[in-house]
Every structure is written in C-alpha cells, then in structure tokens.
Amino acid sequence: MLGVPSMFTEGLRVRVGALAVMSERNSRTYGKPEFGLNKTLIDGKEIAVIEEVIDGQDHPFGPLLHFTRETDRYDPPTLVVAPVSGHFPTLVRDTVRQLLPHHDPYTINWPNVRDVPLEEGEFGLNTYIDSLIGFIKEIGPDTNVVAVCQAAVPALAAIAYLAQTEPESQPNTLTLMGGPLDTRAAPTTVTEFADRHEIEWFRDTVTTKVPDRYKGAGRLVYPGFMQLASFYGMHLGTHISAQFDLFQHLVEGDHEKAERLIAFYNEYCSVSDLARPFYLQTVDQVFKRQVLANGTMEHRGIRIDPAAITRTDVFTIEAKNDDISAPGQTVAAQAWLT
C-alpha cells in the first residue's frame, strides 16, 4: 500500500514535468539556428570545417558563407541557395552536409530582416537576383548552383541575366529543386489562395512594421509569426498529433523519439520576417502573374530569357508529394531552355 502513493506521485511529477516542457516550448521565441557543420569525412579522414563569412559588410541582407574545409584537395565549388520564405537558411544544412565530402560548399546566410537597419535600404526581388549574380561571379565560372524551393525563380533569372550580359560568367551547372517556376502547371492551395486575393489584400492584411525593440525598427515586413501560423494551418492535424506524440514520449521517457521531434520543431518554429517589397513582389510576379514563365520578367531593364543560357547545364528535381511547388512547376523550365 505504501508503494501506491509514491507511484502516483512519481507519475504525476513526470506528467507535470512534461507539461512544463510543452508549455515552455509553445511560448518561447526561437532564434536563428546554427549550421553546426564543423567536420566532415574526406577519403576516410575526419577534416575540420570552418564557417567563414565573405564580404559580410557589403551584403547586409545576406552575406556569402563559405564552409571552408581544411584540406588541399580541390573539389568543385557549389553554391546552395536557400529560399527566403520564412525559415532560415539552416534548412539546407543537410544538403550542405552531404556535399562537404566531395564539394566546396557555399550558401547565402539570409538574416532576419527585422534586424537590418532601415538605412541599409530595401530588399526586393531585384536585390535577391543582384546578390546571386555577384556571388556567382565571386566564386567563379566553375560554380555549381543548387536552388531550393522559392530560390529557383531568382536563381534561374540571375543565370539567364548573366547569360545575356556576361556569358563568360555563367556557372557550370544549375540544379532547381522543387521551385515554383510556373505555378500554372500544377495548382496548389498556395496558388489558389494567391488567385483569390488581390495584391492589395496581402499588403494591407498580412504586413506590418517592425517594432522599436529591433534594429530594423520601422521596416515593413511580413512577420514570421504570421508565416508560422500559416505553416501550421496547412497541416494542422499533423502538427497537433506530433505535439501529443511529444508529450507521450516525454512521459514515457523515450528520449530518442522526443529529441527527434524537438529538433524538428526547433528548426520549424525558427522563423524570419520577410521584407514587404520582396514578399509582395514574389506573390505578384511568381504566384499571380507568373512573369518568368510567360516571358515578361525583367531585371535592371533587361527582359529575362532563359533560352540564352548556353554554358550552364540545368537540372530540375521534383518531389511527388510536394504541396508547395507541386510536380510540373519546376520541370516546366526545361521547355524554356531550348
């Protein structure tokens, strides 16, 4: 009989502890995650990796980040372009990790624009494309570019622009992974939502000013917390089930399963504000008017023509169950290259 109260007390303590963990996680602000890529294996040997920011002061909206491997071996430079779509570029961490043994990887370390002072100017689609052009030229013509999701549109536009203006600066390859290059090819809930609302609705309903407590005070943004709410809303049942699973794993002491879910949601809940000009231009040009797909996209006064790409081999990759850039949206670009 004496064991019953103690068992009850222990069970209650475990549940209260699990509830405390869940409560803290659901009320905290998640900061920008670290890449944490400090080593790799090359030819069976462990090699140190150092993250080096290149020209950081010149690129307040996203410096070039080089994952420098401490080896003399030459491997092809590869620029992995993460999307500017609400999450931080650490979403491509595993892609960079897989490249490290056989490539010399770079990425653009997009910041949270709420931390970029107003005097640095605005960030729009042209700024994004200019950054890509500059970084590709800086790394050199042997560069391989991998553009993930939303990054596919500015990446293809940047390389087409180079092909039309500085053909010798075209990169070696371009891989477009699940990008909304032609959203007409396969409608999704995202494209349907964009179709139902005028661009003024997005401007007036989901954008606001950065509060005074941040370095970018006064900057107009689509805030991260609103994006996170929309991310959750797309698969609400799945996320609710995952939270119940996490609570159960904590109660049962299944630390391995709990840590996997915690690691996923640490990344998933780390969101970044988007600059309003870039956000509205993306909604308008990519999802509403499909300007790259219909041949009316311009950059710095030049109409973008993907068919001008001659030096760069272009690969397209799609995922069967991608509900953001559905199959058909990315491969559509292949028809523009001939």
Side-chain angles (χ1 to χ4, degrees):
M1 294 294 292
L2 291 176
V4 175
S6 65
M7 289 175 59
F8 175 80
T9 302
E10 178 61 19
L12 180 62
R13 185 190 67 79
V14 170
R15 283 168 171 75
V16 169
L19 284 171
V21 171
M22 301 295 292
S23 178
E24 186 276 333
R25 292 187 56 76
N26 288 325
S27 60
R28 75 160 72 160
T29 298
Y30 291 80
K32 185 176 181 179
E34 299 291 333
F35 277 96
L37 300 175
N38 52 24
K39 61 183 177 181
T40 190
L41 287 177
I42 297 179
D43 295 330
K45 298 180 180 179
E46 188 173 284
I47 302 296
V49 176
I50 300 172
E51 297 178 18
E52 295 184 315
V53 174
I54 300 174
D55 291 339
Q57 297 300 317
D58 297 331
H59 298 280
F61 292 105
L64 185 62
L65 183 63
H66 185 199
F67 297 90
T68 304
R69 307 166 310 157
E70 294 196 331
T71 177
D72 293 330
R73 195 179 81 174
Y74 174 82
D75 283 316
T78 300
L79 174 61
V80 182
V81 188
V84 177
S85 57
H87 283 108
F88 288 101
T90 47
L91 279 185
V92 299
R93 181 191 295 109
D94 286 342
T95 302
V96 175
R97 180 184 287 113
Q98 295 299 319
L99 288 171
L100 276 167
H102 305 288
H103 293 258
D104 184 19
Y106 297 76
T107 194
I108 303 174
N109 199 14
W110 305 116
N112 192 333
V113 295
R114 75 183 185 191
D115 298 321
V116 181
L118 276 176
E119 55 263 30
E120 297 292 354
E122 293 288 0
F123 181 83
L125 196 52
N126 281 334
T127 320
Y128 195 141
I129 293 170
D130 283 338
S131 294
L132 287 172
I133 290 169
F135 291 147
I136 290 169
K137 291 168 64 176
E138 182 164 349
I139 298 171
D142 288 339
T143 307
N144 300 283
V145 179
V146 178
V148 180
C149 192
Q150 168 273 334
V153 173
L156 184 59
I159 292 169
Y161 183 87
L162 280 173
Q164 292 170 258
T165 59
E166 301 179 56
E168 70 283 357
S169 297
Q170 296 175 74
N172 190 32
T173 67
L174 169 63
T175 301
L176 304 166
M177 300 179 65
L181 291 162
D182 188 354
T183 59
R184 303 169 302 180
T188 64
T189 55
V190 176
T191 63
E192 291 167 357
F193 187 84
D195 287 340
R196 290 197 304 269
H197 297 82
E198 297 299 323
I199 196 66
E200 290 78 14
W201 181 90
F202 292 95
R203 181 195 64 202
D204 298 337
T205 307
V206 299
T207 66
T208 188
K209 285 185 178 181
V210 173
D212 289 342
R213 64 181 178 274
Y214 298 106
K215 292 180 180 179
R219 183 177 294 281
L220 292 166
V221 297
Y222 174 34
F225 72 86
M226 294 192 71
Q227 296 171 74
L228 185 59
S230 67
F231 295 152
Y232 270 105
M234 290 183 66
H235 303 284
L236 185 59
T238 299
H239 291 298
I240 291 174
S241 178
Q243 296 309 303
F244 277 114
D245 289 343
L246 176 56
F247 176 76
Q248 196 63 33
H249 297 328
L250 291 169
V251 169
E252 294 173 354
D254 193 335
H255 302 298
E256 184 177 344
K257 290 182 180 178
E259 285 300 324
R260 282 203 298 267
L261 277 172
I262 286 172
F264 172 81
Y265 279 101
N266 283 350
E267 195 87 43
Y268 194 80
C269 294
S270 297
V271 288
S272 170
D273 293 355
L274 298 186
R276 185 168 84 169
F278 171 75
Y279 170 68
L280 294 179
Q281 289 162 16
T282 298
V283 172
D284 178 46
Q285 297 187 39
V286 176
F287 291 97
K288 294 185 72 65
R289 294 193 291 125
Q290 298 92 16
V291 294
L292 183 58
N294 63 35
T296 60
M297 185 176 192
E298 292 189 358
H299 181 67
R300 305 305 180 192
I302 294 178
R303 181 162 291 188
I304 297 298
D305 180 14
I309 299 173
T310 55
R311 183 186 183 278
T312 305
D313 292 324
V314 180
F315 305 91
T316 49
I317 299 173
E318 297 182 333
K320 179 180 178 181
N321 297 320
D322 191 337
D323 57 1
I324 302 295
S325 299
Q329 292 187 12
T330 310
V331 74
Q334 293 292 349
W336 312 339
L337 301 167
T338 57

